[in-house]
Amino acid sequence: MTNLNVSHFFYVIIKLIFLEEVGAMKIGFIGVGAMAKAMIQGIINAGHIDANDIFVHAPHLNKYEEFADKYGISKCDSNLEVVKNSDVVVLAVGANNTIEALKEVRDSFTNGKILVSIVWQVTLNRLQELTNYDLPIMRMIPNVNVAQNEGMMVYHNNENVDESIEKQLNDTFNPLGKMMLIPEDKFDVSGSLIGCTPAYAYLFADILSRSAVNYGLDKKQATEMAAQAILGSMKMVETSSKSPSDLIDDVCSPNGGTIKGLMELKKNGFEKSVINCFDATQRKEK
């Protein structure tokens, strides 16, 4: 272990002890788009970081001022101010804005600060090039369900994230849902799976509830029923030792309505449509 890493290790240990005693963890967001807002909502819901210890900045204040005031988070005048006030900095800008954003703040990542990037297309190696090779960096893809503390997050760390730092980061983000460490070369497919699926689930719930309305149910009640049925089913997939295919068999009784509905889905190309849908998410722009 180099002298720099040894120094950083002891700094993190002291810092973690201090944070545990005073609860002074501070987190910043460079960029305040939809995903950053979802993460902030989840963090505030979890209650493990005070709202005024969340620091944010983006170029257009009018797009997030109401949100910041509603939740009592701290608005900053620059990205530099975000970094200076934060222990963990979440980079939440578009890929095209990453270079400019990091160029402004790269020299401020000192004294044990940690960078977490949720920028989809920018690799850990590129993030290191744009900052420095001694900086602890986590690359993460969350989905919008983090707002309800039911999110799915995949992540990979650079070599500067030791066990102590990884624990600190996991303690920070675990309250937003479930975290999974994966190889960085699986980020594209994993990101599509967790990032796009909420939209497909919303569509499925909407179609089911509207179909029930066609047979006389109130729309609000039908939507609530569909949402709870889907939620409970996904809990079964998560917790059961059975495969999804086996769980389907458990619901289908001979000559029952469920099996008849499933056969209609198959006949009308539901499975192929889902596969084609996912394949479309993996196509790269020419």
Side-chain angles (χ1 to χ4, degrees):
M1 185 180 289
T2 65
N3 289 336
L4 179 61
N5 288 335
V6 169
S7 299
H8 184 80
F9 174 79
F10 284 109
Y11 173 83
V12 169
I13 294 298
I14 294 170
K15 186 173 184 179
L16 286 173
I17 294 172
F18 176 76
L19 289 174
E20 184 175 350
E21 290 177 351
V22 303
M25 177 66 175
K26 300 180 190 298
I27 186 167
F29 286 81
I30 296 176
V32 199
M35 191 60 71
K37 289 177 180 177
M39 292 179 70
I40 291 168
Q41 285 177 264
I43 290 169
I44 292 173
N45 290 342
H48 65 302
I49 296 177
D50 291 338
N52 59 7
D53 285 333
I54 301 173
F55 299 86
V56 299
H57 176 73
H60 304 292
L61 179 60
N62 62 303
K63 293 185 177 180
Y64 67 92
E65 184 171 25
E66 183 178 350
F67 173 84
D69 291 340
K70 175 182 177 180
Y71 288 99
I73 60 181
S74 300
K75 302 187 295 288
C76 295
D77 293 328
S78 67
N79 294 333
L80 196 60
E81 185 180 346
V82 169
V83 176
K84 288 182 176 179
N85 281 291
S86 304
D87 303 300
V88 175
V89 178
V90 179
L91 182 66
V93 300
N96 292 336
N97 298 318
T98 298
I99 294 176
E100 181 180 356
L102 290 179
K103 183 178 180 181
E104 178 185 356
V105 300
R106 62 184 299 173
D107 293 334
S108 296
F109 280 106
T110 57
N111 299 324
K113 294 183 186 294
I114 303 165
L115 175 63
V116 175
S117 171
I118 63 170
V119 183
W120 192 314
Q121 301 95 329
V122 182
T123 65
L124 282 170
N125 187 59
R126 182 60 173 148
L127 291 167
Q128 291 177 146
E129 290 175 351
L130 295 170
T131 52
N132 68 75
Y133 285 91
D134 297 316
L135 178 65
I137 303 174
M138 170 186 278
R139 185 181 171 204
M140 179 170 68
I141 297 179
N143 70 9
V144 295
N145 296 334
V146 293
Q148 302 300 322
N149 303 87
E150 291 288 351
M152 183 69 217
M153 296 156 281
V154 296
Y155 73 96
H156 197 86
N157 303 320
N158 72 352
E159 61 183 11
N160 299 319
V161 176
D162 58 25
E163 289 184 7
S164 298
I165 299 174
E166 184 169 19
K167 182 181 185 305
Q168 180 185 1
L169 290 170
N170 287 350
D171 288 348
T172 300
F173 297 114
N174 265 328
L176 302 184
K178 178 177 287 188
M179 297 183 68
M180 184 181 293
L181 176 64
I182 66 167
E184 194 177 13
D185 63 4
K186 299 296 187 291
F187 262 49
D188 280 351
V189 62
S190 300
S192 293
L193 183 59
I194 68 173
C196 302
T197 295
Y200 310 147
Y202 301 153
L203 176 63
F204 191 51
D206 186 56
I207 292 172
L208 284 175
S209 63
R210 290 183 186 278
S211 298
V213 170
N214 188 48
Y215 285 89
L217 270 184
D218 173 79
K219 180 64 162 65
K220 182 177 180 181
Q221 291 178 324
T223 300
E224 186 175 347
M225 290 180 199
Q228 184 58 40
I230 292 170
L231 177 63
S233 301
M234 294 307 99
K235 285 291 183 182
M236 284 293 292
V237 170
E238 182 181 36
T239 60
S240 176
S241 60
K242 296 182 178 182
S243 69
S245 179
D246 289 336
L247 291 172
I248 290 172
D249 291 342
D250 288 346
V251 183
C252 294
S253 56
N255 202 36
T258 304
I259 188 62
K260 290 177 181 178
L262 282 172
M263 295 308 294
E264 282 296 315
L265 287 175
K266 288 177 178 289
K267 186 168 67 176
N268 287 283
F270 180 77
E271 292 177 340
K272 182 173 177 55
S273 293
V274 172
I275 293 169
N276 290 343
C277 168
F278 194 83
D279 287 348
T281 70
Q282 296 303 293
R283 294 188 196 120
K284 308 303 181 194
E285 293 295 331
K286 300 288 186 180

